[in-house]
Amino acid sequence: MSDKMIHAYSGDEIDVHWDKRLCIHISECVQADDPLFEVGREPWCVPDEVAKAEVREVCERCPSGALSYVDKDGTPEQPASENTGQVVYNGPLYLSGELDIEGAPEDMPGVRFRAALCRCGASKNKPFCDNSHIAAGFEDFGAIGQSGPGLDPGSAASDGPLKIKAIPDGPLKMEGRLTLKAASGRSAWQGTKTALCRCGASKNKPFCDASHRAIGFKSD
């Protein structure tokens, strides 16, 4: 991968990495009320401008995993205590937690904790979102009608990371503890196994209803 896709910003105590492949410009970084990131400044990220704890916190706001960091005392980012999927109004699926995305490159450390996955079917960077839903006119307001089987704390199936597999020409297969949140913010569905639509055509979004077969969805 070209060095131009991954930019490193060094500090005395912590380094920040920005991955252009994953960035969908949500602007949680530049909107932060501190001088860590400043549009128009060169470099736009200066880790030594704020405390190390603040660098970590701001980077962890990035929902796509485009921002990651290397804490020089060896303390790695920790996953959120709960695996969640936030359905975005007319947009992607934001995942957070302990994530195991099959096929994710080793040089994308942020997506082990945070990722924005395509729901419209038009991304040129599948399974990740690249904002193609905007040009495609994708429309889904993010309601979730089902509640799911729930989470059994005594079930072995509930242990470990959330495993995500993008089925070729098919849905996103999820295995592991997961809470899905509607676009309204409501915790709606809970379970340990599901298949989520990534072709944009399901009539039961965010879940797959096999519409990818009828429309001839191609994931490559």
Side-chain angles (χ1 to χ4, degrees), residues 31 34 43 46 51 53 72-73 87 101 109 120 132 135 137 139 143 145-146 160-161 184 209-210 212 216:
Q31 292 293 339
D34 60 46
V46 182
K72 293 182 178 179
D73 71 6
V87 178
I101 302 175
C120 72
S132 288
E139 184 174 288
Q146 301 177 27
S184 63
D209 68 357
H212 54 275

Side-chain angles (χ1 to χ4, degrees), residues 92-115:
L93 174 74
Y94 288 159
L95 289 179
S96 66
E98 186 179 0
L99 310 180
D100 181 2
I101 302 175
E102 184 176 280
E106 288 295 321
D107 64 352
M108 285 184 178
V111 301
R112 299 171 193 164
F113 310 102
R114 297 162 280 116

Side-chain angles (χ1 to χ4, degrees), residues 112-181:
R112 299 171 193 164
F113 310 102
R114 297 162 280 116
L117 302 186
C118 175
R119 292 200 303 129
C120 72
S123 173
K124 296 176 179 62
N125 190 34
K126 299 181 185 70
F128 304 107
C129 172
D130 69 355
N131 276 341
S132 288
H133 54 273
I134 299 171
F138 175 67
E139 184 174 288
D140 176 59
F141 297 160
I144 300 177
Q146 301 177 27
S147 59
L151 296 173
D152 180 357
S155 171
S158 298
D159 296 335
L162 177 66
K163 296 183 178 180
I164 303 105
K165 181 176 182 178
I167 303 299
D169 303 335
L172 291 166
K173 182 181 178 182
M174 307 273 177
E175 292 189 359
R177 293 180 66 88
L178 176 63
T179 297
L180 288 176
K181 295 184 177 183

Side-chain angles (χ1 to χ4, degrees), residues 30-52:
V30 296
Q31 292 293 339
D33 188 20
D34 60 46
L36 175 59
F37 293 92
E38 288 192 3
V39 175
R41 182 181 63 191
E42 184 59 42
W44 77 304
C45 176
V46 182
D48 290 340
E49 285 289 324
V50 301
K52 179 174 69 172

Side-chain angles (χ1 to χ4, degrees), residues 183-216:
S184 63
R186 178 178 64 89
S187 293
W189 183 98
Q190 289 188 314
T192 58
K193 288 185 179 181
T194 192
L196 302 181
C197 175
R198 68 180 184 124
C199 72
S202 174
K203 297 177 176 60
N204 188 36
K205 298 181 185 71
F207 306 102
C208 173
D209 68 357
S211 289
H212 54 275
R213 298 173 185 164
I215 67 169

